Amino acid sequence: MKYQRPKGTADILPGESEKWQFVEQKARELFKKFRYQEMRTPIFENFEVFSRTSGETSDIVTKEMYDFFDKGERHITLRPEGTAGVVRSYVENKLYGPEIARPFKTYYIGPMFRYERPQSGRLREFHQIGVEAFGVDNPTLDVEVIAMAIELLKGFGLNSLKLALNTLGDQETRAAYRQALVDYLEPFEGELSDDSKERLHKNPLRVLDSKDEGDQKIVANAPSILDYLTDEAKVHFDTVKSLLDALGIEYTVDSNMVRGLDYYNHTIFEIMSDSKAFNGKWTTVCAGGRYNGLVEQLGGPETPGIGFGLGVERLLLILDAEKEAWKLNNDLDVYVVGIGEATNTESLKLVMSLRQQGLSAERDYLSKKPKSQFKQASKLHAAYTLTIGETELVNKKANLKNMATGEEVSVALADIYHDFKQLIK
Ligand code: ATP
Ligand code: MG
């Protein structure tokens, strides 16, 4: 029997994993500057954490959940997204407490699971880098979160990006808009897709998010939520726009944009790329928005919140397509060439010592001939080789070669053990 990885999953192999580390490292560095701290929440949660928050009629809940009953009959879900778990944890650990500064700013990096039809940039196990900020309703924070997402993507050298912006307003806005939308859509009810028919009365805003082309044509002429904003919601949105202007961040307002999750209100945004990785088709890499009310939904006190999630696989697709070569540092500092069985112990001691001194070191374990050991050293892009044969062993010396210049010197083993870096200064 041949085993294969489950459909929609990927093995991240050496050569590829360095790219992941690079991306994650850059994100961590940026978040640190914005003073976001990492949270690591469970990869599975109780089913209700997601069913209550993502929305009963959302794709995530109706079609995409990896849920099961465990041996104790608990209804468990592999997390389809990061926010709900973070909010659950925020409430459970009382991170809204008086001694905790607001906004409470946090980020996460990790796998998410959705039962979807796998294709390029769409997997069943995928990864997100996400941030959340709690406790502040000020639109300045909305703009900072958006700006941070853009900085992150620009930091990878991505420039052809589009920021799509919209507002879902407050509850009053949505109630008024919902009615207007239903009034508009009802005459088309017979023409809508089955999913949209179902959503028309349960959750009409979801119809705007339909991927069905027929639905999209109908939706194109739907009333705009921007005409239903309350004064307060309008001020919030106008402030977001003028602060984006102040930072020189370009955006397009897309009044038909809703998100795949039901918990959003006020500001929502998507950052899209038309990279050749997606055949030039504008594809969302990063998406987020404000979710005032979500903390209460999971049993916490009234607390505004805002965040985004960025798809790591999609980012890597872009980087692979746009960047000729990745500058990833996996080069070797020192390769120890041991000639003859007798040098085995000393070679082992040398690589161990070099590693303890903070260098990367490699040797041969297969009793290979010197020539193929040197070949291996060049293949690994070793900066230096240290060669030790039986004569050197007796003299307590080794040959140090700078691979870039070809320069070779004899050095005392004692000096290598004492301070190798001094020798290569
Ligand atoms: P889509 O409309 O593409 O299905 P979504 O609205 O479901 O996206 P979000 O839940 O907002 O996506 O997730 C944020 C980001 O996570 C997406 O922009 C994308 O980069 C990534 N993402 C979402 N689902 C997947 C998936 N199945 N495989 C890979 N990446 C994904
Ligand atoms: Mg989706």
Side-chain angles (χ1 to χ4, degrees):
M1 155 131 202
K2 256 197 189 163
Y3 292 104
Q4 289 183 322
R5 57 181 181 267
K7 195 173 170 187
T9 64
D11 296 316
I12 300 162
L13 303 177
E16 207 48 35
S17 59
E18 287 80 6
K19 299 177 182 176
W20 286 74
Q21 290 169 358
F22 171 78
V23 163
E24 290 167 5
Q25 187 57 32
K26 290 272 269 187
R28 288 178 195 284
E29 283 163 16
L30 181 79
F31 295 156
K32 193 165 183 190
K33 288 194 265 181
F34 281 80
R35 300 195 54 79
Y36 282 67
Q37 290 173 289
E38 186 177 10
M39 253 168 94
R40 301 189 187 195
T41 62
I43 284 175
F44 60 87
E45 296 273 354
N46 286 313
F47 174 81
E48 288 74 24
V49 170
F50 303 109
S51 64
R52 288 246 172 95
T53 54
S54 296
E56 300 287 350
T57 51
S58 66
D59 279 349
I60 285 190
V61 173
T62 56
K63 301 178 191 159
E64 298 175 0
M65 292 271 234
Y66 270 95
D67 63 317
F68 59 95
F69 289 88
D70 73 5
K71 291 183 170 50
E73 290 303 309
R74 296 171 198 91
H75 196 180
I76 297 292
T77 299
L78 301 187
R79 64 182 187 195
E81 57 104 32
T83 304
V86 169
V87 172
R88 193 270 311 138
S89 174
Y90 176 83
V91 174
E92 183 169 347
N93 295 290
K94 299 196 168 56
L95 301 177
Y96 47 77
E99 70 287 356
I100 291 168
R102 282 188 299 164
F104 175 80
K105 301 195 266 190
T106 188
Y107 74 88
Y108 59 83
I109 298 180
M112 307 291 160
F113 304 85
R114 296 184 193 177
Y115 192 79
E116 299 205 66
R117 204 154 54 81
Q119 49 194 287
S120 167
R122 195 175 292 286
L123 289 103
R124 292 184 173 172
E125 180 184 24
F126 65 101
H127 297 76
Q128 282 185 342
I129 296 177
V131 309
E132 318 291 351
F134 297 99
V136 168
D137 196 27
N138 188 327
T140 313
L141 189 62
D142 305 30
V143 171
E144 252 198 51
V145 166
I146 295 171
M148 185 165 70
I150 289 176
E151 290 268 301
L152 182 59
L153 293 169
K154 289 218 164 133
F156 294 118
L158 306 190
N159 286 308
S160 180
L161 297 170
K162 190 167 87 179
L163 169 63
L165 188 71
N166 194 20
T167 175
L168 297 174
D170 47 24
Q171 267 188 6
E172 206 184 313
T173 305
R174 282 171 74 140
Y177 179 60
R178 185 195 153 102
Q179 192 52 55
L181 189 61
V182 171
D183 292 345
Y184 167 79
L185 288 173
E186 266 177 339
F188 299 101
E189 186 160 356
E191 299 161 50
L192 290 173
S193 69
D194 290 344
D195 272 349
S196 290
K197 267 188 204 122
E198 161 124 21
R199 288 165 179 167
L200 175 56
H201 295 286
K202 282 194 185 154
N203 189 352
L205 261 72
R206 288 249 62 81
V207 178
L208 297 179
D209 198 34
S210 172
K211 309 269 190 293
D212 181 276
E213 275 184 27
D215 291 352
Q216 285 175 353
K217 279 198 190 106
I218 297 171
V219 154
N221 298 315
S224 161
I225 193 161
L226 302 180
D227 296 326
Y228 294 85
L229 297 180
T230 58
D231 290 344
E232 218 179 300
K234 189 170 182 318
V235 169
H236 191 104
F237 193 47
D238 288 343
T239 312
V240 166
K241 288 189 289 182
S242 70
L243 290 172
L244 284 172
D245 292 337
L247 291 184
I249 296 175
E250 285 176 32
Y251 55 87
T252 31
V253 174
D254 174 359
S255 66
N256 269 348
M257 180 170 74
V258 291
R259 301 287 309 96
L261 300 154
D262 272 358
Y263 49 63
Y264 288 114
N265 42 50
H266 290 287
T267 317
I268 55 170
F269 65 95
E270 294 192 3
I271 304 173
M272 305 162 108
S273 156
D274 65 348
S275 162
K276 49 184 185 252
F278 310 123
N279 299 318
K281 182 171 169 267
W282 285 101
T283 303
T284 304
V285 189
C286 175
R290 194 165 262 293
Y291 47 75
N292 300 350
L294 187 56
V295 172
E296 292 100 298
Q297 256 184 51
L298 287 179
E302 193 178 329
T303 310
I306 178 159
F308 68 71
L310 177 146
V312 180
E313 282 83 357
R314 288 191 197 172
L315 173 60
L316 288 172
L317 281 175
I318 305 177
L319 294 182
D320 278 336
E322 308 294 317
K323 286 199 166 186
E324 295 299 298
W326 283 68
K327 230 181 99 228
L328 297 170
N329 186 10
N330 192 30
D331 287 350
L332 176 62
D333 294 323
V334 189
Y335 192 97
V336 174
V337 178
I339 305 171
E341 260 320 295
T343 62
N344 184 49
T345 306
E346 201 65 45
S347 297
L348 177 62
K349 284 161 75 179
L350 280 170
V351 286
M352 289 302 291
S353 168
L354 290 167
R355 292 162 185 164
Q356 281 158 5
Q357 293 180 55
L359 296 132
S360 64
E362 190 56 283
R363 54 160 290 177
D364 158 66
Y365 304 89
L366 301 168
S367 308
K368 285 200 180 138
K369 300 243 159 58
K371 196 176 158 197
S372 66
Q373 290 189 46
F374 279 113
K375 235 187 182 168
Q376 184 65 5
S378 340
K379 202 173 146 193
L380 297 173
H381 303 290
Y384 295 91
T385 55
L386 264 178
T387 308
I388 177 163
E390 283 167 23
T391 322
E392 285 84 4
L393 195 59
V394 172
N395 298 335
K396 300 196 178 337
K397 298 221 165 212
N399 251 351
L400 172 65
K401 182 176 179 186
N402 180 328
M403 298 292 273
T405 62
E407 199 183 330
E408 232 173 312
V409 284
S410 173
V411 292
L413 290 180
D415 292 338
I416 302 173
Y417 286 116
H418 175 66
D419 189 355
F420 180 79
K421 284 182 188 162
Q422 193 61 40
L423 297 175
I424 56 174
K425 254 194 176 160

